[in-house]
Amino acid sequence: MADEIRAEMVANVWKVVAAAGDSVSEGDTLVILESMKMEIPVVAESDGVVRQLAVNEGDVVQEGDLIAVVE
Amino acid sequence: MTTTHVAAEPSTADFRDPEVRLRALFDGGSLRLLIPRDDSGVLYARGEIDGTPAIAYATDATRMGGAMGIEGCRHIVDAVDAAVRERVPVIGVWHSGGARLPEGVVALDGVGQVFAAMVRASGRVPQISVVLGPAAGGAAYGPALTDLVIMSDGGRIFVTGPEVVRSVTGEQVDMERLGGPEPHGRRSGVVHITTKDDAAALAEARKLTFLLGYQGRISPADVADGLDLAALMPAETNRAYDVKPVVKALLDEPGVELHAKWAPNVVTTLGRFAGRTVGVIANNPLRLGGCLDAASAEKAARFVRMCDSLGVPLVVLVDVPGYLPGVGQEWEGVVRRGAKLLHAFAEAVVPRVTLVTRKAYGGAYIAMNSRSLGATAVYAWPTAEVAVMGASAAVNILHRKKIAATRPEDREALRAQLVEDQIRVAGGVNRALEIGVIDDVIKPTETRRRIAEALAAAPAARGAHGNIPL
């Protein structure tokens, strides 16, 4: 089952940690966002493989924007 | 209800059988049916959970899909009223299609009497619901009126089923997507705990019944210093982290997290602390940066009111950058729903201790059980910051003209100096300590003991109100 991971809030993409094709475990950091002057990691919600990383460093994401797909 | 009917071994192993379900809920051998098996569609019993007395009722899914008629509804009312008389928790096991259609308005009247009994009991005894099958129509609001709702993988809660939804709105949806664990655990907030199967759901109900039915006495002498809770947080103050391990380390043993997936920027957990049941409320910086928003304020407010009505003291772990900004939030009612949290804390009479771990800014500082809302004690770690906003943001507003008037190459140095001054006059904990909004600065290693002492020193009290499902 594919998990679509979406931005919870408006933020800047500060660092992209994972890459498409990576195997990840639940809780692994995929991307670090910057918002409210905080570095906020976006983590995998289940074990799987990163199918897609939809953001680049420096992007601004809006609430609900796709960040990654973990399958 | 004086007669006790000794339960016979059920003839089938059908797990939809209410007697099988009640037997699985209670300690082995402790089940006593309080009525004989009948065709009412409801069975109720007395029993023990980890030695703590409780009453439980179950709808009978083997009869008309658990539909509720007047007779069955009267049994539920009797079970709830008996629990209030005996001051014991009451657990409802739900699997019901709603009111019995052949009975018509008589059944509706019965369902309404169930609701009224639940509201009479609200805040007087803990009420826990376990939803193992559909709880539809009138049966949906039974669990929803109780303090805590647990749903197994097979549980479904909805007012109108998929067919009605389809015929009225044209939306194609199945029962699981309409009212299963995913929508109610993550989106609606109807369900506090979702589990992978029925056995796990009953196990969670047992844990919650024991925590609320046997609250214990707080014993600070049993709490040793030395555990460094700050080591569970990153050294960089702008780095987000998951607060759940901190909550776990604070408690004697892992507690029961409620609403884990709904509004996850606030974590609400029932657990044992220094031997006593407490409710822990913590901002979770991992989600939404730990900001309060409409949903999380409402979630925390309901938790505070439940704990207050049942006499459960509160521990509040604060690391909050503020309220989440945005049009969506304002339109979702962050003002109205945020006000619920202010109201809940200000009205609470149970002992309630706040610890500021890293930061408490602005309106969210007030909302998180501040001194002004009547906290029993407010502590802070030495590195904590309490302010209207972060120092650098404040400098940008307060000194915008001064910074703009400076040569570009000197601006950063000036800004750094102003931030330092700002921290001295407005941030840090010293100013907060001076004016008495923080009672003491405590070391991370003595946190558990100091919180336990503060809770133990406060007079035990219990809010005189019900627990409306906010």
Side-chain angles (χ1 to χ4, degrees), chain A residues 8-9 36 38-41, chain B residues 238-240 287-289 324:
Chain A
E8 289 184 334
M9 62 196 302
M36 299 294 288
M38 297 266 291
E39 296 163 15
I40 303 170
Chain B
N238 64 344
R239 186 72 54 84
R287 309 302 295 269
L288 294 179
L324 186 67

Side-chain angles (χ1 to χ4, degrees), chain A:
Chain A
M1 206 184 102
D3 261 343
E4 289 188 350
I5 295 166
R6 295 180 176 276
E8 289 184 334
M9 62 196 302
V10 180
N12 298 313
V13 178
W14 182 57
K15 267 186 190 162
V16 176
V17 179
D22 286 2
S23 289
V24 291
S25 306
E26 184 181 345
D28 283 358
T29 301
L30 304 173
V31 166
I32 301 177
L33 302 178
E34 191 277 322
S35 186
M36 299 294 288
K37 294 172 201 68
M38 297 266 291
E39 296 163 15
I40 303 170
V42 175
V43 300
E45 291 182 7
S46 53
D47 297 347
V49 174
V50 180
R51 282 285 163 234
Q52 187 192 349
L53 257 173
V55 294
N56 296 304
E57 288 178 9
D59 287 357
V60 174
V61 289
Q62 301 293 322
E63 183 186 337
D65 284 359
L66 183 68
I67 291 180
V69 179
V70 175
E71 198 171 311

Side-chain angles (χ1 to χ4, degrees), chain B residues 10-25:
Chain B
S11 52
T12 64
D14 185 353
F15 201 66
R16 294 181 310 146
D17 185 297
E19 195 174 325
V20 173
R21 286 174 162 169
L22 292 175
R23 193 177 295 281
L25 175 69

Side-chain angles (χ1 to χ4, degrees), chain B residues 42-285:
Chain B
V42 172
L43 193 61
Y44 73 101
R46 183 195 311 284
E48 292 184 351
I49 289 176
D50 291 328
T52 300
I55 286 176
Y57 55 88
T59 58
D60 185 349
T62 65
R63 281 185 173 73
M64 300 173 70
M68 301 159 77
I70 183 71
E71 207 190 336
C73 288
R74 287 198 178 123
H75 289 331
I76 297 181
V77 170
D78 288 343
V80 173
D81 286 348
V84 171
R85 267 197 314 276
E86 297 173 22
R87 297 197 179 88
V88 297
V90 57
I91 302 115
V93 181
W94 289 88
H95 186 146
S96 169
R100 282 186 175 179
L101 292 178
E103 287 189 24
V105 181
V106 174
L108 291 183
D109 181 53
V111 173
Q113 290 178 30
V114 168
F115 297 162
M118 288 173 159
V119 175
R120 279 198 301 277
S122 182
R124 303 181 69 186
V125 294
Q127 298 186 81
I128 296 165
S129 298
V130 189
V131 181
L132 301 181
Y141 288 104
L145 280 168
T146 61
D147 301 311
L148 297 162
V149 185
I150 301 160
M151 182 185 265
S152 75
D153 59 332
R156 308 283 181 264
I157 299 178
F158 43 76
V159 175
T160 53
E163 296 203 358
V164 176
V165 169
R166 186 154 48 239
S167 70
V168 174
T169 70
E171 292 163 301
Q172 297 281 343
V173 67
D174 59 22
M175 276 176 37
E176 184 174 2
R177 205 164 73 78
L178 183 64
E182 161 69 24
H184 285 316
R186 195 185 291 272
R187 296 171 190 277
S188 71
V190 169
V191 167
H192 294 79
I193 296 172
T194 59
T195 65
K196 65 178 192 324
D197 56 29
D198 289 0
L202 294 171
E204 293 295 328
R206 287 176 55 87
K207 279 192 224 166
L208 290 170
T209 304
F210 187 58
L211 279 167
L212 294 172
Y214 178 77
Q215 296 191 14
R217 288 180 64 85
I218 199 155
S219 173
D222 294 342
V223 178
D225 282 348
L227 180 67
D228 186 4
L229 291 174
L232 298 168
M233 297 181 188
E236 303 85 349
T237 53
N238 64 344
R239 186 72 54 84
Y241 61 93
D242 188 3
V243 80
K244 289 179 194 180
V246 182
V247 174
K248 195 174 159 196
L250 176 83
L251 294 170
D252 300 344
E253 55 197 58
V256 181
E257 187 185 352
L258 308 176
H259 285 138
K261 290 189 173 154
W262 180 58
N265 39 327
V266 156
V267 174
T268 49
T269 306
L270 281 173
R272 294 262 175 216
F273 173 66
R276 196 209 193 288
T277 302
V278 299
V280 182
I281 299 150
N283 307 112
N284 195 358

